[in-house]
Amino acid sequence: MSLHPSLQSYADAWTHSIDAISELVSPLVEGEWNRRTPCPGWSVRDLVSHVIGLDCEMLGDPRPIHTLPRDLYHVTNEHQRYMEMQVDVRRHHTAPEMTSELEYTIIRRNRQLRNESRQPDALVRGPLSTEVTLEESMRNRSFDLWVHEQDLRTALGRPGNLDSPGAYVARDVLLSRLPKVVAKDAGAPPNSAVVFDVHGPLEFLRTVRVDAEGTGSIDGAPSLGPAATLTLDWETYFRLACGRVTPEAVADRLKTEGDPELTAAILRNFAVTP
């Protein structure tokens, strides 16, 4: 294996999630591919098309030349338009076509990962003609894939893998965005702290501290006298952070203490994925 050690956890997470997705969709009959997922406007087929399409882009395949229909209500910005292209081009594919393309893409990506010798800071193609480092690209890919595995599990009624390798990547990605949510988006006051106490298959306690200049940072130490404390389970945490549910829909799974205006502002701004 020539993969750089700092990339191995992302490769492991990708492998675990893609194998789980393949196992979930392989036995589906034609009608089940049309089931709705938590992603607006996307069926199971659409979500798997998205997975295939982005892994093809990781392989360096050219993007499809395709004109999107004008009546896709869920496509409202350039980022969504970019993502929709790989989905819409496969919208009429049959179940066997979907599973065979998925399997072929997995084989190609596994081969690519086995032979990957680039450094983590090597620049690679990102969405919308951007350039990102290989490490960022692989981290984002393993995060995206685990979240979509969970979307499929929700659509198909097959819960699981809430503590898989991809779950740990998702935890770290989502936590890295928490200081901005608390300090900037929710406007927590200077010299305050907000505690997040998360239980379930993944358990962690994190404190976001806002300094005198209003800049947020995060650590694992508890706070004495925080401005607010939010207690929730891991599944609720990531579904909120990924915009899959609203705070109102999961109010019974949330416990908040402290400043009610601050906790409301944090929950209002909690979704961090596009």
Side-chain angles (χ1 to χ4, degrees):
M1 185 68 119
S2 53
L3 197 63
H4 192 280
S6 68
L7 303 176
Q8 189 63 55
S9 61
Y10 304 132
D12 292 343
W14 176 87
T15 301
H16 195 278
S17 289
I18 202 76
D19 287 348
I21 287 172
S22 177
E23 190 178 311
L24 282 168
V25 302
S26 292
L28 298 183
V29 298
E30 197 66 52
E32 291 175 300
W33 286 85
N34 298 321
R35 283 195 188 180
R36 291 176 60 181
T37 72
C39 298
W42 280 7
S43 64
V44 168
R45 176 185 284 97
D46 296 338
L47 207 150
V48 176
S49 296
H50 170 72
V51 166
I52 293 169
L54 286 198
D55 270 318
C56 285
E57 292 187 24
M58 293 287 283
L59 285 158
D61 292 358
R63 280 174 54 77
I65 298 170
H66 179 70
T67 302
L68 289 179
R70 294 178 179 272
D71 59 350
L72 297 174
Y73 74 92
H74 58 283
V75 178
T76 59
N77 58 47
E78 204 52 42
H79 181 268
Q80 291 169 343
R81 184 174 297 280
Y82 180 94
M83 293 301 175
E84 196 71 21
M85 203 72 78
Q86 295 278 13
V87 172
D88 194 66
V89 79
R90 294 174 173 83
R91 242 174 200 127
H92 301 293
H93 286 197
T94 63
E97 287 173 327
M98 293 299 299
T99 52
S100 61
E101 188 181 10
L102 177 63
E103 291 308 311
Y104 181 52
T105 305
I106 292 171
I107 290 167
R108 293 175 66 211
R109 280 282 282 139
N110 273 321
R111 186 185 303 131
Q112 182 189 38
L113 289 170
R114 278 198 306 274
N115 298 324
E116 182 59 81
S117 58
R118 291 173 292 182
Q119 292 299 302
D121 59 357
L123 291 177
V124 298
R125 183 177 73 178
L128 292 169
S129 303
T130 57
E131 278 194 331
V132 296
T133 65
L134 178 61
E135 183 169 10
E136 185 181 350
S137 178
M138 287 184 62
R139 179 173 60 243
N140 290 344
R141 190 77 201 98
S142 56
F143 166 60
D144 185 64
L145 199 63
W146 180 81
V147 173
H148 288 321
E149 178 199 335
Q150 294 302 318
D151 289 332
L152 286 170
R153 290 184 177 282
T154 299
L156 299 170
R158 296 275 306 278
N161 282 353
L162 287 170
D163 59 350
S164 66
Y168 285 89
V169 174
R171 178 199 64 184
D172 292 345
V173 168
L174 294 173
L175 285 175
S176 72
R177 298 174 186 177
L178 205 49
K180 178 180 179 291
V181 169
V182 172
K184 302 298 182 191
D185 302 336
N191 301 313
S192 66
V194 176
V195 172
F196 295 84
D197 188 355
V198 178
H199 54 90
L202 277 192
E203 290 193 353
F204 52 91
L205 185 142
R206 294 293 187 275
T207 302
V208 175
R209 303 179 196 276
V210 184
D211 65 18
E213 282 75 47
T215 302
S217 61
I218 190 167
D219 61 55
S223 169
L224 298 175
T229 300
L230 289 85
T231 304
L232 64 166
D233 65 275
W234 164 235
E235 185 175 4
T236 302
Y237 183 98
F238 87 76
R239 291 199 185 286
L240 279 169
C242 295
R244 276 17 182 204
V245 292
T246 63
E248 295 75 23
V250 291
D252 60 328
R253 301 181 68 165
L254 271 167
K255 181 185 174 189
T256 61
E257 298 172 72
D259 183 343
E261 288 187 10
L262 178 56
T263 55
I266 290 169
L267 290 170
R268 229 179 9 254
N269 292 280
F270 208 68
V272 293
T273 58

